[in-house]
Amino acid sequence: MSTSIPVRNLATDAVAGSKIHPRKFRGFFRRIRIAGGALLFILFFGTVWLSWGGRQAVLWDLTEKQFHIFGSTFWPQDLVLLSAILIICAFGLFFLTVMAGRVWCGYTCPQSVWMWIFMWAERVTEGDRNQRKKLDQAPLSVAKLCKRTIKHGLWIVLSLATAVTFVGYFTPIRELVTNILTLEVSGAAAFWVFFFTAATYLNAGWLREKVCVHMCPYGRFQSSMLDKDSLVISYDAARGESRGARKPGSDYLSQGLGDCIDCHMCVQVCPTGIDIRDGLQMECIGCAACIDACNSIMDKMGYATGLIRYTSERALQEGGPLRIFRPRLVAYGVLLVSFIAILVWAMVSRPMASFDVTKDRGLFRYNDYGQIENSYVLTVLNKSHHAQAFTLSVSGVAGLTLIDDTRFYVGPGERLEQPVSVAANPDELQSSLVDIKFRLNAAEDPGGDLVQESVFTGARQQ
Ligand code: SF4
Ligand code: SF4
């Protein structure tokens, strides 16, 4: 889906293979991107410090194999719910892409957000685009060394803060920070902090757009999700061509020129170094920097803004209004909302206990009353944050009885292993191997009774 326009033979930074130095710019979409990035930043750095019910509000406790999130705890047994969340996120991204192209990449993807922050650090230490280009080419001097040292120092501080925060979602952050400050951090925690510091520094400082262009799979397959009505950032070739320089206020139409003054501002602000006038390209991360840059030029020239704008292929080629809420998108939206509703229901009604029954390896024995007894080990996990009382019952053979206590308590988050014996009259056995059912009832559990199947072995009375 690329717009066919004549392409000038002017190499961009990306084409020339040199480092990309985007120019500073201002505009409406930049403000939206800053707001989106700030929100992500605050959520990422702030959430990890929140407490809920006496423990860190969001914590993936690897030692205990529990995921705590605002008072709810998920266990390995709930993995299916976490998988469902990931599938819904992927579907949400798919929905967003069909609607508005790579808005996720441009506004809220952590790779982009951190890349813009690192670029900001580069700009405040080394200056804007032309100053940075000059600095790259300048021989080593004290001034150059100082600027580079401050820049890399800032990058390392940002990377370290990111790494400590990220690791803090897997090991209690307060403990982690205290241990780092007192140099008592464990080897494993130190390794992961170092690893994520290096990864952030490399990704956001050095690799930048290369991650989006060459490493991110989403960038590769997003074009297959777009249709003719998807919102994408496009250059209006019909209005812009023929491009060319002109004097402000001149009658450029009579000279055969379009609205594009060929100033290259859209290329100079692009973080991936491409020329949007060449059509939609895989390298475009949808950041809208070129829209802001071109709009400011249009304003200066006294032309209407929107030479580069959010539009669809259909609107660009056939004219007419955008068709955002088309049937395909509405169907995806309904599916997405349904998935979310099912997930919420599954989370609210999930059982707050799980149990398992393991039959003892011994076959059976006769007790003092002439009954046949089988032994089992019951494992009950209380997934709630308070003690629960459970009642056990068994069925499958007439007169089948539990020998031991049928009622017991399990503390919050605890796992209980309880041996139990089950007895039956030999007359009641239909065969030497009978299917039976254990039923565990927790009075307060919204999920109802938990049932586990097992077998009862014995010798049938002749
Ligand atoms: S072409 Fe425009 S929207 Fe795409 S990455 Fe470059 S500046 Fe951002
Ligand atoms: S910023 Fe606008 S006017 Fe300048 S080259 Fe790009 S499209 Fe043309």
Side-chain angles (χ1 to χ4, degrees):
M1 161 179 172
S2 68
T3 312
S4 168
I5 57 169
V7 180
R8 294 279 299 271
N9 190 22
L10 267 166
T12 64
D13 285 345
V15 174
S18 56
K19 185 178 175 189
I20 296 167
H21 285 296
R23 180 188 281 274
K24 186 181 173 188
F25 64 98
R26 292 184 198 286
F28 174 73
F29 292 104
R30 178 176 180 264
R31 286 196 290 278
I32 294 183
R33 212 188 43 251
I34 289 176
L39 182 68
L40 178 77
F41 222 60
I42 291 167
L43 283 177
F44 175 70
F45 283 108
T47 309
V48 76
W49 291 98
L50 297 179
S51 295
W52 193 282
R55 66 151 63 95
Q56 192 170 314
V58 181
L59 177 68
W60 196 304
D61 191 333
L62 294 175
T63 323
E64 298 292 327
K65 297 192 182 72
Q66 296 171 11
F67 176 47
H68 306 284
I69 178 161
F70 293 104
S72 292
T73 300
F74 293 87
W75 300 73
Q77 291 86 343
D78 300 318
L79 206 64
V80 64
L81 288 178
L82 293 178
S83 312
I85 292 173
L86 290 180
I87 291 169
I88 286 176
C89 288
F91 196 77
L93 192 58
F94 173 66
F95 174 79
L96 207 60
T97 308
V98 173
M99 184 169 73
R102 291 180 80 170
V103 281
W104 160 260
C105 301
Y107 294 90
T108 43
C109 173
Q111 174 65 27
S112 306
V113 171
W114 262 251
M115 179 179 80
W116 289 109
I117 292 165
F118 275 54
M119 281 180 177
W120 166 82
E122 191 168 61
R123 198 167 56 245
V124 295
T125 50
E126 296 183 351
D128 201 9
R129 173 183 160 90
N130 290 339
Q131 290 164 302
R132 295 202 300 274
K133 283 185 143 187
K134 268 190 202 153
L135 193 71
D136 277 356
Q137 286 152 11
L140 190 61
S141 65
V142 175
K144 182 171 179 173
L145 199 65
C146 284
K147 285 179 180 172
R148 289 271 144 99
T149 308
I150 297 171
K151 177 181 84 173
H152 288 285
L154 267 177
W155 282 5
I156 290 170
V157 169
L158 280 166
S159 303
L160 185 63
T162 305
V164 170
T165 305
F166 188 72
V167 175
Y169 281 100
F170 298 89
T171 184
I173 184 86
R174 288 175 176 78
E175 247 174 67
L176 177 69
V177 170
T178 309
N179 290 344
I180 290 174
L181 293 176
T182 54
L183 301 180
E184 286 172 4
V185 67
S186 70
F191 168 79
W192 287 115
V193 167
F194 174 79
F195 176 84
F196 288 115
T197 302
T200 311
Y201 176 77
L202 273 177
N203 275 349
W206 290 91
L207 294 175
R208 294 186 180 175
E209 79 289 344
K210 293 179 189 67
V211 175
C212 311
V213 176
H214 303 294
M215 293 159 77
C216 177
Y218 172 60
R220 301 248 149 211
F221 63 73
Q222 56 103 19
S223 58
S224 62
M225 298 183 212
L226 301 179
D227 60 28
K228 280 181 149 240
D229 291 303
S230 298
L231 270 183
V232 285
I233 293 170
S234 301
Y235 165 71
D236 189 343
R239 183 186 144 191
E241 301 301 314
S242 299
R243 62 187 80 162
R246 79 287 312 266
K247 288 200 174 77
S250 66
D251 183 11
Y252 61 98
L253 293 177
S254 64
Q255 300 166 38
L257 292 172
D259 280 358
C260 175
I261 66 168
D262 208 13
C263 61
H264 267 243
M265 282 296 282
C266 50
V267 182
Q268 291 179 18
V269 297
C270 178
T272 63
I274 58 170
D275 189 338
I276 190 67
R277 296 173 300 172
D278 294 350
L280 183 62
Q281 296 149 68
M282 198 199 72
E283 291 85 352
C284 175
I285 59 169
C287 68
C290 51
I291 301 185
D292 280 336
C294 189
N295 281 349
S296 71
I297 297 296
M298 294 294 106
D299 279 340
K300 277 185 195 144
M301 296 300 292
Y303 304 164
T305 57
L307 178 57
I308 301 175
R309 62 181 182 272
Y310 276 105
T311 184
S312 69
E313 188 188 7
R314 192 191 303 278
L316 206 57
Q317 289 177 351
E318 300 167 14
L322 294 168
R323 290 177 58 221
I324 306 273
F325 296 107
R326 52 218 187 261
R328 180 185 172 201
L329 195 68
V330 172
Y332 289 153
V334 170
L335 270 179
L336 184 61
V337 171
S338 309
F339 287 160
I340 293 171
I342 291 169
L343 178 72
V344 170
W345 172 81
M347 286 173 108
V348 170
S349 59
R350 81 193 158 112
M352 292 314 289
S354 70
F355 93 116
D356 207 7
V357 176
T358 313
K359 189 173 181 323
D360 193 80
R361 263 189 264 164
L363 274 177
F364 63 91
R365 64 181 175 279
Y366 287 95
N367 65 19
D368 297 343
Y369 307 100
Q371 293 175 307
I372 292 177
E373 269 188 34
N374 279 207
S375 297
Y376 304 82
V377 176
L378 192 74
T379 309
V380 181
L381 173 66
N382 178 2
K383 297 199 263 180
S384 74
H385 292 163
H386 55 269
Q388 289 201 77
F390 294 97
T391 309
L392 184 69
S393 58
V394 64
S395 62
V397 178
L400 197 65
T401 49
L402 277 160
I403 305 292
D404 312 277
D405 274 352
T406 57
R407 194 171 161 79
F408 45 89
Y409 292 87
V410 185
E414 282 182 5
R415 181 191 302 271
L416 174 82
E417 292 211 341
Q418 175 90 11
V420 292
S421 293
V422 177
N425 285 324
D427 307 348
E428 304 291 355
L429 295 180
Q430 300 298 314
S431 71
S432 57
L433 193 67
V434 186
D435 291 332
I436 60 169
K437 278 184 183 161
F438 286 88
R439 198 174 291 274
L440 190 74
N441 175 271
E444 307 158 37
D445 205 319
D449 288 358
L450 297 168
V451 177
Q452 278 291 337
E453 294 185 353
S454 188
V455 289
F456 189 90
T457 51
R460 198 175 156 230
Q461 201 78 347
Q462 297 303 316

